Amino acid sequence: SFAGATFDTNWDSYVSLLQKYPPGPIYMLAMGGAALVLLSVLFSPKQPSWLKSCVSLAEPIGQNSLAIFIVQFFLYFAACDLLVAKGAVVPLMVSGSAFLLSLVGIWVLARLCQRYRASRVLTTGLPVFLHSLEPARAVREFRHAA
């Protein structure tokens, strides 16, 4: 108590960088500032050529984020359930390699989703997807996918 006013003894949690729920002011400044710096680099008119190629490689993941979120959640949740919950000890090299392999698999899945417009099926439904295809083209794409 100071001059009749009481202070919360946990005031440091409000200015902590780790205060996410609810987001504290320091968390908003640090993480929001980092996001703004990243966006300013990405939208800069004078981007380096390597950055443009990295953005074009990541584009399918952004365009199919719902499908990727579903697969990624299942993949990592199942992996954690199988390995961590069972008490298995996985070497760092094996887990790192599995993680990188899963990222490659997720990127390939994103490319397939982009090619066959899977995000449109997940968001607007199958009838809209089938209606947008001509019958001959739909049969050709179905045979090509198989």
Coordinates of all heavy atoms in Angstrom, one line a residue, residues 67-121:
A67 N -6.1 -25.9 -45.4 CA -5.8 -27.3 -45.6 C -4.4 -27.6 -44.9 O -4.3 -28.7 -44.3 CB -5.7 -27.6 -47.1
I68 N -3.5 -26.7 -45.0 CA -2.2 -26.9 -44.4 C -2.3 -26.9 -42.9 O -1.7 -27.7 -42.2 CB -1.2 -25.8 -44.8 CG1 -1.0 -25.9 -46.3 CG2 0.1 -25.9 -44.1 CD1 -0.5 -27.2 -46.8
F69 N -3.2 -26.1 -42.3 CA -3.4 -26.0 -40.9 C -3.9 -27.4 -40.4 O -3.5 -27.9 -39.4 CB -4.3 -24.9 -40.5 CG -4.7 -25.0 -39.0 CD1 -3.8 -24.6 -38.0 CD2 -6.0 -25.4 -38.6 CE1 -4.2 -24.6 -36.7 CE2 -6.3 -25.5 -37.3 CZ -5.4 -25.1 -36.3
I70 N -4.9 -27.9 -41.1 CA -5.5 -29.2 -40.7 C -4.5 -30.3 -40.8 O -4.4 -31.1 -39.8 CB -6.8 -29.5 -41.6 CG1 -7.9 -28.5 -41.4 CG2 -7.3 -30.9 -41.4 CD1 -9.0 -28.5 -42.4
V71 N -3.8 -30.4 -41.9 CA -2.8 -31.5 -42.0 C -1.7 -31.3 -41.0 O -1.2 -32.3 -40.3 CB -2.2 -31.5 -43.4 CG1 -1.0 -32.4 -43.5 CG2 -3.3 -31.9 -44.4
Q72 N -1.2 -30.1 -40.8 CA -0.1 -29.8 -39.9 C -0.5 -30.1 -38.4 O 0.3 -30.7 -37.7 CB 0.3 -28.4 -40.0 CG 1.6 -28.0 -39.4 CD 2.0 -26.6 -39.7 OE1 1.2 -25.8 -40.0 NE2 3.3 -26.3 -39.5
F73 N -1.7 -29.8 -38.1 CA -2.2 -30.0 -36.7 C -2.3 -31.6 -36.5 O -1.8 -32.1 -35.5 CB -3.6 -29.4 -36.5 CG -4.1 -29.7 -35.1 CD1 -3.7 -29.0 -34.0 CD2 -5.1 -30.7 -35.0 CE1 -4.2 -29.3 -32.8 CE2 -5.6 -31.0 -33.7 CZ -5.2 -30.3 -32.6
F74 N -2.8 -32.3 -37.4 CA -2.9 -33.7 -37.3 C -1.5 -34.4 -37.3 O -1.3 -35.2 -36.4 CB -3.8 -34.3 -38.4 CG -3.8 -35.8 -38.4 CD1 -4.5 -36.5 -37.4 CD2 -3.0 -36.5 -39.3 CE1 -4.6 -37.9 -37.4 CE2 -3.0 -37.9 -39.2 CZ -3.8 -38.6 -38.3
L75 N -0.7 -33.9 -38.2 CA 0.7 -34.5 -38.3 C 1.5 -34.3 -37.0 O 2.0 -35.3 -36.4 CB 1.4 -33.9 -39.5 CG 2.8 -34.4 -39.7 CD1 2.8 -35.9 -40.2 CD2 3.5 -33.5 -40.8
Y76 N 1.5 -33.1 -36.5 CA 2.3 -32.9 -35.3 C 1.7 -33.3 -34.0 O 2.3 -33.7 -33.1 CB 2.7 -31.4 -35.2 CG 3.6 -31.0 -36.4 CD1 3.4 -29.7 -37.0 CD2 4.6 -31.8 -36.9 CE1 4.2 -29.4 -38.1 CE2 5.4 -31.4 -37.9 CZ 5.2 -30.2 -38.5 OH 6.0 -29.8 -39.6
F77 N 0.3 -33.3 -34.0 CA -0.4 -33.8 -32.8 C -0.2 -35.3 -32.7 O 0.1 -35.9 -31.7 CB -1.9 -33.4 -32.9 CG -2.6 -33.9 -31.7 CD1 -2.5 -33.2 -30.5 CD2 -3.4 -35.0 -31.7 CE1 -3.2 -33.6 -29.4 CE2 -4.1 -35.4 -30.6 CZ -4.0 -34.7 -29.4
A78 N -0.3 -36.0 -33.9 CA -0.1 -37.4 -33.9 C 1.3 -37.8 -33.6 O 1.6 -38.8 -32.8 CB -0.5 -38.0 -35.3
A79 N 2.3 -37.0 -34.1 CA 3.7 -37.3 -33.8 C 4.0 -37.1 -32.3 O 4.7 -37.9 -31.7 CB 4.6 -36.4 -34.6
C80 N 3.5 -36.0 -31.7 CA 3.7 -35.8 -30.3 C 3.0 -36.9 -29.5 O 3.5 -37.3 -28.5 CB 3.2 -34.4 -29.9 SG 4.2 -33.1 -30.5
D81 N 1.8 -37.3 -29.9 CA 1.1 -38.3 -29.1 C 1.8 -39.6 -29.2 O 1.9 -40.4 -28.2 CB -0.3 -38.5 -29.7 CG -1.2 -39.4 -28.8 OD1 -1.1 -39.3 -27.6 OD2 -1.8 -40.3 -29.4
L82 N 2.3 -40.0 -30.4 CA 3.0 -41.3 -30.5 C 4.4 -41.3 -29.8 O 4.8 -42.3 -29.2 CB 3.2 -41.6 -32.0 CG 2.0 -42.0 -32.8 CD1 2.3 -42.1 -34.3 CD2 1.5 -43.3 -32.2
L83 N 5.1 -40.2 -29.9 CA 6.5 -40.2 -29.4 C 6.6 -39.7 -28.0 O 7.2 -40.3 -27.1 CB 7.4 -39.3 -30.3 CG 7.5 -39.8 -31.8 CD1 8.3 -38.9 -32.6 CD2 8.1 -41.2 -31.8
V84 N 6.0 -38.5 -27.7 CA 6.2 -37.9 -26.4 C 5.3 -38.6 -25.3 O 5.8 -38.9 -24.2 CB 5.9 -36.4 -26.5 CG1 6.0 -35.7 -25.2 CG2 6.8 -35.7 -27.5
A85 N 4.1 -38.8 -25.6 CA 3.2 -39.4 -24.6 C 3.6 -40.8 -24.3 O 3.3 -41.3 -23.2 CB 1.8 -39.4 -25.1
K86 N 4.2 -41.5 -25.2 CA 4.6 -42.9 -24.9 C 6.0 -42.9 -24.2 O 6.5 -44.0 -23.8 CB 4.7 -43.7 -26.2 CG 3.5 -43.7 -27.0 CD 2.3 -44.4 -26.3 CE 1.2 -44.4 -27.3 NZ -0.1 -44.2 -26.7
G87 N 6.6 -41.8 -24.0 CA 7.8 -41.8 -23.2 C 9.1 -42.1 -24.1 O 10.1 -42.4 -23.5
A88 N 8.9 -42.1 -25.4 CA 10.0 -42.5 -26.2 C 11.1 -41.3 -26.2 O 10.7 -40.2 -26.2 CB 9.6 -42.7 -27.7
V89 N 12.3 -41.7 -26.3 CA 13.4 -40.7 -26.4 C 13.9 -40.8 -27.8 O 14.4 -41.8 -28.3 CB 14.6 -41.1 -25.4 CG1 15.7 -40.1 -25.6 CG2 14.1 -41.1 -24.0
V90 N 13.7 -39.6 -28.5 CA 14.1 -39.5 -29.9 C 15.3 -38.7 -30.0 O 15.4 -37.6 -29.5 CB 12.9 -38.9 -30.7 CG1 13.3 -38.8 -32.2 CG2 11.6 -39.7 -30.5
P91 N 16.4 -39.2 -30.7 CA 17.6 -38.4 -30.9 C 17.3 -37.1 -31.6 O 16.4 -37.1 -32.4 CB 18.5 -39.3 -31.7 CG 18.0 -40.7 -31.5 CD 16.5 -40.5 -31.2
L92 N 18.1 -36.1 -31.3 CA 17.9 -34.8 -31.9 C 18.0 -34.8 -33.4 O 17.2 -34.2 -34.2 CB 18.9 -33.8 -31.3 CG 18.8 -32.4 -31.8 CD1 17.4 -31.8 -31.5 CD2 19.9 -31.5 -31.3
M93 N 18.9 -35.6 -34.0 CA 19.1 -35.7 -35.4 C 17.9 -36.3 -36.1 O 17.5 -35.9 -37.1 CB 20.4 -36.5 -35.7 CG 20.8 -36.4 -37.1 SD 21.3 -34.7 -37.5 CE 22.9 -34.9 -38.0
V94 N 17.3 -37.3 -35.4 CA 16.1 -38.0 -36.0 C 14.9 -37.1 -36.0 O 14.2 -36.9 -37.0 CB 15.8 -39.3 -35.3 CG1 14.5 -39.9 -35.7 CG2 16.9 -40.3 -35.5
S95 N 14.7 -36.4 -34.9 CA 13.6 -35.5 -34.8 C 13.8 -34.3 -35.7 O 12.8 -33.8 -36.3 CB 13.4 -35.0 -33.3 OG 14.5 -34.3 -32.9
G96 N 15.0 -33.7 -35.8 CA 15.2 -32.6 -36.7 C 15.0 -33.0 -38.2 O 14.4 -32.3 -39.0
S97 N 15.5 -34.2 -38.5 CA 15.3 -34.7 -39.9 C 13.8 -35.0 -40.2 O 13.3 -34.7 -41.3 CB 16.1 -36.0 -40.1 OG 17.4 -35.8 -39.9
A98 N 13.1 -35.5 -39.2 CA 11.7 -35.8 -39.4 C 10.9 -34.4 -39.6 O 10.0 -34.3 -40.4 CB 11.1 -36.6 -38.2
F99 N 11.3 -33.4 -38.8 CA 10.7 -32.1 -38.9 C 10.9 -31.5 -40.3 O 10.0 -31.0 -40.9 CB 11.2 -31.2 -37.8 CG 10.6 -29.8 -37.9 CD1 9.3 -29.6 -37.6 CD2 11.4 -28.7 -38.2 CE1 8.7 -28.3 -37.7 CE2 10.9 -27.5 -38.3 CZ 9.6 -27.2 -38.1
L100 N 12.1 -31.6 -40.8 CA 12.4 -31.0 -42.1 C 11.7 -31.8 -43.2 O 11.2 -31.2 -44.2 CB 13.9 -31.0 -42.4 CG 14.7 -30.0 -41.5 CD1 16.2 -30.2 -41.8 CD2 14.3 -28.6 -41.8
L101 N 11.6 -33.1 -43.0 CA 10.9 -33.9 -44.0 C 9.4 -33.6 -44.0 O 8.8 -33.5 -45.0 CB 11.1 -35.4 -43.7 CG 10.6 -36.4 -44.7 CD1 11.2 -36.2 -46.1 CD2 10.8 -37.8 -44.2
S102 N 8.9 -33.3 -42.8 CA 7.5 -33.0 -42.7 C 7.2 -31.6 -43.4 O 6.2 -31.4 -44.0 CB 7.0 -32.9 -41.3 OG 7.6 -31.9 -40.6
L103 N 8.2 -30.7 -43.3 CA 8.0 -29.4 -43.9 C 8.0 -29.5 -45.4 O 7.2 -28.9 -46.1 CB 9.1 -28.4 -43.5 CG 9.1 -27.9 -42.1 CD1 10.2 -27.0 -41.8 CD2 7.8 -27.2 -41.8
V104 N 8.9 -30.4 -45.9 CA 8.9 -30.6 -47.4 C 7.6 -31.3 -47.8 O 7.0 -30.9 -48.8 CB 10.1 -31.5 -47.8 CG1 10.0 -32.0 -49.2 CG2 11.4 -30.8 -47.6
G105 N 7.1 -32.2 -47.0 CA 5.8 -32.9 -47.3 C 4.6 -31.9 -47.3 O 3.7 -31.9 -48.2
I106 N 4.7 -31.0 -46.3 CA 3.6 -30.0 -46.2 C 3.7 -29.0 -47.4 O 2.6 -28.6 -48.0 CB 3.7 -29.2 -44.9 CG1 3.2 -30.1 -43.8 CG2 2.9 -27.9 -44.9 CD1 3.5 -29.6 -42.4
W107 N 4.9 -28.7 -47.9 CA 5.0 -27.8 -49.1 C 4.5 -28.5 -50.3 O 3.8 -27.9 -51.1 CB 6.4 -27.4 -49.2 CG 6.6 -26.4 -50.4 CD1 6.3 -25.1 -50.4 CD2 7.0 -26.7 -51.7 NE1 6.6 -24.5 -51.6 CE2 7.0 -25.5 -52.4 CE3 7.4 -27.9 -52.3 CZ2 7.4 -25.5 -53.8 CZ3 7.8 -27.8 -53.6 CH2 7.8 -26.6 -54.4
V108 N 4.8 -29.8 -50.5 CA 4.3 -30.6 -51.6 C 2.8 -30.6 -51.6 O 2.1 -30.5 -52.6 CB 4.9 -32.0 -51.7 CG1 4.2 -32.9 -52.7 CG2 6.4 -31.9 -52.0
L109 N 2.2 -30.9 -50.4 CA 0.8 -30.9 -50.2 C 0.2 -29.5 -50.6 O -0.9 -29.4 -51.2 CB 0.4 -31.2 -48.8 CG -1.1 -31.2 -48.5 CD1 -1.7 -32.5 -49.1 CD2 -1.3 -31.2 -47.0
A110 N 0.8 -28.4 -50.2 CA 0.3 -27.1 -50.6 C 0.3 -26.9 -52.1 O -0.6 -26.3 -52.6 CB 1.2 -26.0 -49.9
R111 N 1.4 -27.4 -52.7 CA 1.4 -27.3 -54.2 C 0.3 -28.1 -54.8 O -0.4 -27.6 -55.8 CB 2.7 -27.8 -54.7 CG 3.9 -26.9 -54.3 CD 4.0 -25.6 -55.1 NE 4.1 -25.9 -56.5 CZ 4.2 -25.0 -57.4 NH1 4.1 -23.8 -57.1 NH2 4.3 -25.4 -58.7
L112 N 0.0 -29.3 -54.3 CA -1.1 -30.1 -54.8 C -2.5 -29.4 -54.6 O -3.3 -29.4 -55.4 CB -1.1 -31.5 -54.2 CG 0.0 -32.4 -54.7 CD1 0.0 -33.7 -53.9 CD2 -0.2 -32.7 -56.2
C113 N -2.6 -28.9 -53.4 CA -3.8 -28.2 -53.1 C -4.0 -27.0 -54.0 O -5.2 -26.7 -54.4 CB -3.8 -27.7 -51.6 SG -4.1 -29.0 -50.4
Q114 N -3.0 -26.3 -54.3 CA -3.1 -25.1 -55.2 C -3.4 -25.6 -56.6 O -4.2 -24.9 -57.3 CB -1.7 -24.3 -55.2 CG -1.8 -23.1 -56.0 CD -0.5 -22.3 -55.9 OE1 0.6 -22.9 -55.6 NE2 -0.5 -21.0 -56.1
R115 N -2.8 -26.7 -57.0 CA -3.1 -27.1 -58.4 C -4.5 -27.6 -58.6 O -5.1 -27.3 -59.6 CB -2.1 -28.3 -58.7 CG -2.3 -28.8 -60.1 CD -1.3 -29.9 -60.4 NE -1.5 -30.3 -61.8 CZ -0.7 -31.2 -62.3 NH1 0.3 -31.7 -61.7 NH2 -0.9 -31.6 -63.6
Y116 N -5.1 -28.3 -57.6 CA -6.4 -28.8 -57.7 C -7.5 -28.0 -57.0 O -8.6 -28.4 -56.7 CB -6.4 -30.3 -57.2 CG -5.6 -31.2 -58.1 CD1 -4.4 -31.7 -57.7 CD2 -6.1 -31.4 -59.4 CE1 -3.7 -32.5 -58.5 CE2 -5.3 -32.2 -60.2 CZ -4.1 -32.8 -59.8 OH -3.4 -33.6 -60.6
R117 N -7.1 -26.8 -56.5 CA -8.0 -25.8 -55.9 C -8.7 -26.4 -54.7 O -9.9 -26.3 -54.5 CB -9.0 -25.2 -56.9 CG -8.3 -24.4 -57.9 CD -9.2 -23.8 -58.8 NE -9.8 -24.8 -59.8 CZ -10.7 -24.5 -60.6 NH1 -11.2 -23.3 -60.7 NH2 -11.1 -25.4 -61.5
A118 N -7.9 -27.1 -53.8 CA -8.5 -27.8 -52.7 C -9.0 -26.8 -51.6 O -10.0 -27.0 -50.9 CB -7.5 -28.7 -52.0
S119 N -8.4 -25.6 -51.5 CA -8.8 -24.6 -50.6 C -10.2 -24.1 -50.9 O -11.0 -23.8 -50.1 CB -7.9 -23.4 -50.5 OG -7.8 -22.8 -51.7
R120 N -10.5 -24.1 -52.2 CA -11.9 -23.7 -52.6 C -12.9 -24.7 -52.2 O -14.0 -24.4 -51.8 CB -11.9 -23.5 -54.2 CG -13.2 -22.9 -54.7 CD -13.1 -22.6 -56.1 NE -14.4 -22.3 -56.6 CZ -14.8 -21.1 -57.0 NH1 -13.9 -20.1 -57.0 NH2 -16.0 -20.8 -57.5
V121 N -12.6 -26.0 -52.3 CA -13.5 -27.0 -51.8 C -13.7 -26.9 -50.3 O -14.8 -27.1 -49.9 CB -12.9 -28.4 -52.2 CG1 -13.7 -29.5 -51.6 CG2 -12.9 -28.6 -53.7

